[in-house]
Amino acid sequence: MKDADWERMLSQALAPAAEPEEELNQSIIRQLQERGRSKPKAKKRLSAGLLAAVLLLVLSVSAYAATRLFSAGQVAEMFGDRLLADAFESKDAVRIERSMASGDYHFTLHGLVTGAGLSEFKHLSEDLYPDRTYAVVSITRQDGKPMPDTDDPEYGKDPFFISPLVKGLKPWEANIFSMNGGYSEDVLDGVMYRLISLDEVEMFADRGVYLAISSGSAFYSSEAFRYDEKTGEIHAREDYPGASLLFELPLDAAKADRDKADAYLDSLSSPSSSHDSGTEEEWIKWMQELRAKIRDGETIGQTVPGSVKEMTYDDSGKIAYAFGERSVTMSPEDLFEEGQIGFSDRRLPISGGIDNTYEAVLFHRDENGVITGRIVILGEGSIPEF
């Protein structure tokens, strides 16, 4: 967002050593929500059901922005996941609020939480691995310029890879994409927020787990990081021209489970789950093609019988859809432009991967303004061989 008023408001919240009052945070959220309703935003969501990987760069670590930006729980709420927002505020969550600078950016890791059934957006991998880890990262520019909004042509031109990496595991083999991960992303007042989720990482707590961030690619890059085959250490490369850094995650080693972790790694290394970086790019291409088909009015899959339901509205004006174990709550402006009729391609949550079956939640608005949600099983012919 580019409004000067908002910049001033955040500047006030960013005052040194001034931890914002909760009232201020709530005030900002309310005004952002009001702004969101008046200006539809296209949240970017990548759901990767893919299976596929110190000289720790000395970076400035400070409390910068940690107390000046939205908390993990507030970000989850803005993405319409009230259940996850509560999880981030629970005693089991780890509030981190640490920042590092690298390349042109300033990154803040706000917090993480791990557990089963924490999100309103269930991933199909939860049938096999119920526990998932969620984390929130925000990104700002060091020169003070705002991050490009999601409807700005510059948005996404400098992509980011954000993923946990485990010491001793090859990072190109064990990362967010191979661990049934995905993310939601949005830009608010010049600050990019990314909410990631993947199979739990706490089981690796005794080995050491990093949150790796790099710019220049949405995928793991050996140009940004170096893996030491002998020690299992992962290093951010100081000579990398873009951003490259590692946050060490403060996981409780008592929650490590070596047997569970070994069994999980065996599943990743099975022939049916092996992937290379090429398939990750294929996945992105597939998602883009699906969105293009929706915009062109094409059918992308078979509707699950009984799943077509009219959305209901809550007191805040948000719409809600629920079918089976899946439920979604969000603002209608997040789905449709003003006056838009037909299917929305803005939000396309996809889950699956088991037996190469994927399903998506689609939203439709008719000429009377009635919004319905439905679940479709994506056509076999449209699914690449991941």
Side-chain angles (χ1 to χ4, degrees):
M1 298 184 178
K2 307 176 180 62
D3 289 0
D5 290 343
W6 280 100
E7 292 179 0
R8 285 195 295 273
M9 182 173 293
L10 280 182
S11 295
Q12 292 173 0
L14 293 175
E19 184 162 358
E21 299 290 343
E22 180 61 20
E23 182 180 354
L24 174 59
N25 288 333
Q26 294 304 321
S27 174
I28 294 174
I29 290 176
R30 284 195 298 274
Q31 295 184 58
L32 284 173
Q33 290 173 335
E34 291 175 359
R35 179 182 173 85
R37 283 194 286 274
S38 63
K39 180 184 178 183
K41 297 185 62 58
K43 293 184 176 64
K44 305 301 180 182
R45 186 179 187 88
L46 167 65
S47 180
L50 298 176
L51 300 172
V54 213
L55 176 63
L56 176 62
L57 180 61
V58 179
L59 299 166
S60 60
V61 180
S62 71
Y64 172 81
T67 62
R68 307 160 183 169
L69 302 171
F70 294 118
S71 69
Q74 290 167 333
V75 172
E77 184 170 4
M78 285 189 289
F79 280 119
D81 199 334
R82 182 64 250 179
L83 190 61
L84 182 59
D86 291 341
F88 273 120
E89 300 299 331
S90 71
K91 62 179 178 58
D92 295 325
V94 180
R95 183 178 179 181
I96 301 173
E97 307 293 5
R98 296 190 66 198
S99 298
M100 289 187 180
S102 182
D104 295 331
Y105 305 98
H106 214 111
F107 303 90
T108 299
L109 171 58
H110 293 272
L112 63 87
V113 65
T114 297
L118 300 184
S119 171
E120 296 182 22
F121 307 104
K122 182 182 178 182
H123 194 285
L124 280 186
S125 70
E126 292 177 61
D127 292 336
L128 291 176
Y129 312 110
D131 292 317
R132 288 181 69 78
T133 294
Y134 304 84
V136 170
V137 173
S138 64
I139 306 170
T140 57
R141 289 187 57 88
Q142 293 206 63
D143 59 9
K145 295 180 181 178
M147 297 293 289
D149 209 343
T150 53
D151 56 3
D152 190 312
E154 294 299 313
Y155 173 80
K157 286 191 174 181
D158 192 10
F160 297 97
F161 168 76
I162 302 179
S163 170
L165 300 177
V166 181
K167 293 179 182 178
L169 302 183
K170 297 176 180 176
W172 56 89
E173 292 183 351
N175 57 49
I176 189 170
F177 293 106
S178 63
M179 298 175 68
N180 299 306
Y183 66 78
S184 294
E185 186 175 273
D186 202 359
V187 178
L188 301 174
D189 281 337
V191 180
M192 177 179 287
Y193 291 92
R194 180 175 291 194
L195 167 62
I196 68 167
S197 69
L198 72 164
D199 297 334
E200 73 152 310
V201 298
E202 278 189 339
M203 59 181 146
F204 301 110
D206 59 336
R207 307 179 190 218
V209 182
Y210 294 112
L211 184 76
I213 301 177
S214 62
S215 63
S217 173
F219 308 109
Y220 174 80
S221 170
S222 58
E223 296 179 354
F225 302 99
R226 178 173 62 84
Y227 176 67
D228 190 320
E229 295 273 1
K230 295 181 179 178
T231 66
E233 296 282 354
I234 301 167
H235 306 267
R237 291 185 180 272
E238 292 183 296
D239 58 349
Y240 183 62
S244 175
L245 57 85
L246 297 165
F247 285 98
E248 189 162 6
L249 297 182
L251 301 178
D252 184 356
K255 294 183 178 180
D257 188 328
R258 181 63 65 136
D259 292 340
K260 180 181 179 180
D262 289 343
Y264 178 76
L265 292 175
D266 287 342
S267 71
L268 292 187
S269 61
S270 65
S272 61
S273 63
S274 62
H275 291 270
D276 56 32
S277 59
T279 59
E280 296 167 358
E281 296 176 0
E282 189 175 4
W283 173 274
I284 299 295
K285 180 181 178 182
W286 177 53
M287 292 287 291
Q288 292 172 338
E289 291 174 347
L290 286 176
R291 285 195 165 91
K293 288 182 179 180
I294 293 172
R295 289 194 294 273
D296 293 340
E298 296 183 36
T299 300
I300 64 170
Q302 184 175 0
T303 300
V304 175
S307 68
V308 181
K309 294 181 179 295
E310 185 175 331
M311 309 287 275
T312 59
Y313 288 80
D314 62 19
D315 294 339
S316 65
K318 291 184 177 180
I319 55 178
Y321 171 79
F323 179 74
E325 297 180 346
R326 304 195 64 166
S327 63
V328 178
T329 302
M330 68 185 74
S331 297
E333 290 81 6
D334 289 339
L335 292 172
F336 301 97
E337 297 178 3
E338 184 175 358
Q340 179 185 351
I341 295 174
F343 284 99
S344 169
D345 69 313
R346 289 186 169 186
R347 293 291 297 270
L348 188 60
I350 293 178
S351 56
I354 301 174
D355 297 329
N356 209 31
T357 298
Y358 293 85
E359 66 178 30
V361 183
L362 290 181
F363 304 96
H364 179 273
R365 184 162 66 182
D366 66 16
E367 61 276 7
N368 297 315
V370 177
I371 301 175
T372 55
R374 72 190 62 198
I375 294 176
V376 299
I377 304 297
L378 300 177
E380 293 184 1
S382 66
I383 300 175
E385 294 294 332
F386 293 123

